[in-house]
Amino acid sequence: MTTSPPLPCAPSPATIPEALRIAESDDVAVALKPLEKGQRTTCSDTSLILRDDIPAGHKFAVRAIEPGEAVHRYRAPIGTATRPIAAGEHVHSHNLATALRGEQGYVFTASAAPLSPSSDPTSGFAGYHRADGSVGTRNEVWILPTVGCVGRLGERLAARGNLLCAGMPQIDGVHAFNHPFGCSQLGADLDGTAAILAALAMNPNAGGVLLLGLGCESNQLDALLTRIPSERRDRLRVLRAQSEADEFAAGETLLAELLEVMAQDHRAPAPLSALRLGVKCGGSDAMSGLTANPLIGLMADAVTQAGGTAILTEIPEIFGAETLLMERATSREVFDSLARLVNRFKRYFIDHGEPVSENPSPGNIAGGITTLEEKSLGAVQKGGLAPVVEVLDYGARITAPLTPGLVVLEAPGNDAVSTTALAAAGATVTLFSTGRGTPLGSPVPTMKIASNAALAAHKPGWIDFDASRVLTAGMDKAAEALLARILAIASGEPARNEANDERAIGIWKRGVTL
């Protein structure tokens, strides 16, 4: 089984078909516009009369399907028919059900070949070169509270810091990332909070970091500092609020120190391989797997083929498509790590009494996605075709020397949690496909890629790129335009989340609360 190829080029809006079937082996096609009952439609070489109204983005059968028979889209099963389905009939949750179950065994066959990068000297961006060899797309101060008790203090300090750096063009801003955790946590749950905060402190976009503690919290500053390499400490300051008579004044002094150091930083040319690209989806619809996700996959391929790294997460949203990634593992070790991660996540659901298929969301379903298999087969296309070179636990980060390729990162599908995990892993720009829309932003530029023209037109304040142009201009031209937009934003143009001041973190809470 292989990932779906790019859509065929469509030279003009007049040639956009009414419906699209990815492969001749698929049992369903997707309506690209609203279609009416009784209407004759042609998809590939198949002409049929529709038996139902078909909303845009929804599926209809292109052949008769018997109860219990697997239904295919993207050349793969997306579930099982629950009753007879006639050709031309709407296929959705009333007649299609998931076939996903719990943990399973996976068989390693062979290692995928590693990439042989080929750099393009004309393709790159202007970034901030860090001492560890990484390149940031921003030069910001990040204020990271160890515990929720000092979150508001961090936000007040960020506001003051932005006044202090006014007139310093080398500094892109001061931002505080509030959260409710860091105390009343135990064991692995507390460890996960500490790991994600320490990893965020090492993101290349953070030219300076203020670690802000209370003093009595479970997430102790001294323990957190041991997770951060000593060579990073010149860009790090620490404030214990309980130890200061005036914690705000003390914080202001530390911010001034960081800003003085960062004022010496300047953007300089960097190759495309220096970009660390996070890929993510949220509020998906049935068009996501036809336009935005394959387009993002081409961006992942461009970065990795140049010698860089792309990071894919949202493990529950690869259930049903995980073997596509496993087949691309570059070693038995990577394969086994990915298999363990998938089964561990399935066990996480089962141990909480939940089915592994409890997805898609109501918005996904309204947009035409029926089962988790269907959602996953569309979602994994964001990883392109690059070999899978590494599997990271939650809170871990990519480190030099980097192997060109795709990294799979442990995190749930929750938008705030997964985008935070991507930033903590080292992503310096995240591409976020969406069919329904969301303003959410993470600590790094979080580019929203709309899967459909209606969303892009309705929410221009949220959307950075309209992937529906795949259907009008073709995949190659759309990819060229999106890459140019990515490089412009990597070089300093604000993403929509930044222009809207939409920045937040979400931490994965996995344990008891005291």
Side-chain angles (χ1 to χ4, degrees):
M1 189 185 300
T2 58
T3 52
S4 302
L7 294 177
C9 292
S12 71
T15 64
I16 297 176
E18 293 177 336
L20 186 66
R21 179 165 54 154
I22 289 289
E24 293 300 316
S25 58
D26 287 355
D27 304 312
V28 295
V30 174
L32 300 184
K33 57 186 71 173
L35 303 177
E36 296 181 356
K37 179 180 179 179
Q39 177 179 341
R40 177 173 291 278
T41 188
T42 301
C43 185
S44 300
D45 295 328
T46 302
S47 179
L48 49 80
I49 301 294
L50 296 175
R51 295 172 175 263
D52 301 298
D53 290 336
I54 312 295
H58 283 240
K59 301 176 292 297
F60 59 89
V62 296
R63 67 171 184 85
I65 305 170
E66 296 299 321
E69 190 176 350
V71 178
H72 294 79
R73 184 186 174 197
Y74 303 113
R75 300 188 180 87
I78 61 170
T80 303
T82 58
R83 64 173 180 79
I85 303 174
E89 188 175 341
H90 187 202
V91 177
H92 204 26
S93 50
H94 61 288
N95 55 15
L96 176 65
T98 182
L100 285 180
R101 299 296 179 262
E103 297 169 85
Q104 65 185 88
Y106 300 100
V107 179
F108 176 76
T109 54
S111 299
L115 283 175
S116 298
S118 55
S119 61
D120 178 359
T122 66
S123 184
F125 64 101
Y128 294 95
H129 293 250
R130 305 304 184 191
D132 64 358
S134 62
V135 181
T137 63
R138 296 292 181 268
N139 193 36
E140 299 172 336
V141 177
W142 289 3
I143 301 175
L144 300 175
T146 60
V147 65
C149 308
V150 290
R152 277 293 299 131
L153 172 60
E155 292 172 348
R156 289 166 50 218
L157 283 169
R160 179 58 180 159
N162 280 310
L163 294 176
L164 292 174
C165 70
M168 296 182 179
Q170 307 92 333
I171 298 170
D172 295 313
V174 180
H175 303 282
F177 296 105
N178 201 349
H179 62 87
F181 302 119
C183 212
S184 300
Q185 293 181 275
L186 297 171
D189 186 37
L190 177 61
D191 184 72
T193 296
I196 209 78
L197 292 172
L200 283 170
M202 292 180 275
N203 185 286
N205 286 14
V209 173
L210 175 60
L211 287 180
L212 177 58
L214 178 61
C216 59
E217 65 270 26
S218 300
N219 188 25
Q220 284 285 295
L221 272 169
D222 289 341
L224 188 61
L225 283 169
T226 64
R227 298 173 180 265
I228 301 172
S230 57
E231 56 267 24
R232 178 70 177 172
R233 304 290 175 82
D234 66 321
R235 299 291 184 118
L236 183 69
R237 298 294 183 271
V238 176
L239 174 62
R240 293 175 172 84
Q242 288 176 341
S243 300
E244 300 291 341
D246 187 339
E247 68 280 359
F248 188 85
E252 185 176 358
T253 298
L254 294 175
L255 286 176
E257 292 178 10
L258 286 171
L259 293 173
E260 183 178 2
V261 173
M262 294 166 59
Q264 309 307 311
D265 298 332
H266 297 276
R267 289 188 181 271
L272 181 61
S273 60
L275 193 65
R276 298 179 177 181
L277 192 67
V279 297
K280 152 84 185 142
C281 55
S284 299
D285 64 0
M287 296 300 295
S288 296
L290 298 177
T291 58
N293 290 344
L295 188 59
I296 289 175
L298 289 182
M299 299 302 97
D301 287 342
V303 169
T304 57
Q305 190 59 53
T309 301
I311 313 169
L312 174 73
T313 187
E314 302 178 285
I315 302 305
E317 296 181 13
I318 69 171
F319 292 171
E322 64 267 35
T323 57
L324 298 178
L325 296 173
M326 292 175 184
E327 290 169 359
R328 290 153 52 189
T330 54
S331 69
R332 177 63 186 262
E333 179 183 7
V334 171
F335 175 92
D336 288 344
S337 295
L338 183 52
R340 285 194 299 269
L341 174 56
V342 170
N343 277 332
R344 184 167 74 240
F345 230 113
K346 288 182 176 180
R347 174 51 53 186
Y348 170 67
F349 277 71
I350 294 167
D351 287 348
H352 284 80
E354 302 293 344
V356 301
S357 58
E358 196 59 31
N359 204 328
S361 70
N364 298 150
I365 294 169
I369 296 174
T370 308
T371 66
L372 181 52
E373 297 99 303
E374 182 181 12
K375 184 175 182 178
S376 295
L377 287 162
V380 297
Q381 295 184 65
K382 301 190 305 295
L385 298 173
V388 178
V389 297
E390 189 174 10
V391 177
L392 293 179
D393 290 339
Y394 178 72
R397 63 189 186 95
I398 55 176
T399 55
L402 302 180
T403 301
L406 182 67
V407 172
V408 178
L409 169 67
E410 179 185 23
N414 177 274
D415 291 347
V417 172
S418 56
T419 53
T420 300
L422 287 168
T428 52
V429 172
T430 290
L431 303 185
F432 188 126
S433 73
T434 181
R436 311 289 289 179
T438 175
L440 179 140
S442 76
V444 304
T446 308
M447 295 178 61
K448 301 299 168 23
I449 316 299
S451 69
N452 61 82
L455 171 62
H458 181 58
K459 285 293 186 182
W462 290 0
I463 300 302
D464 294 276
F465 191 85
D466 178 6
S468 74
R469 69 174 69 182
V470 164
L471 301 173
T472 58
M475 186 66 79
D476 291 343
K477 288 186 178 179
E480 182 180 350
L482 178 54
L483 182 58
R485 188 78 191 113
I486 292 168
L487 295 177
I489 287 175
S491 298
E493 289 190 21
R496 296 310 306 162
N497 77 290
E498 296 175 302
N500 296 331
D501 196 24
E502 291 281 356
R503 297 166 177 263
I505 64 172
I507 297 177
W508 189 12
K509 171 69 174 162
R510 291 178 284 180
V512 300
T513 300
L514 297 180

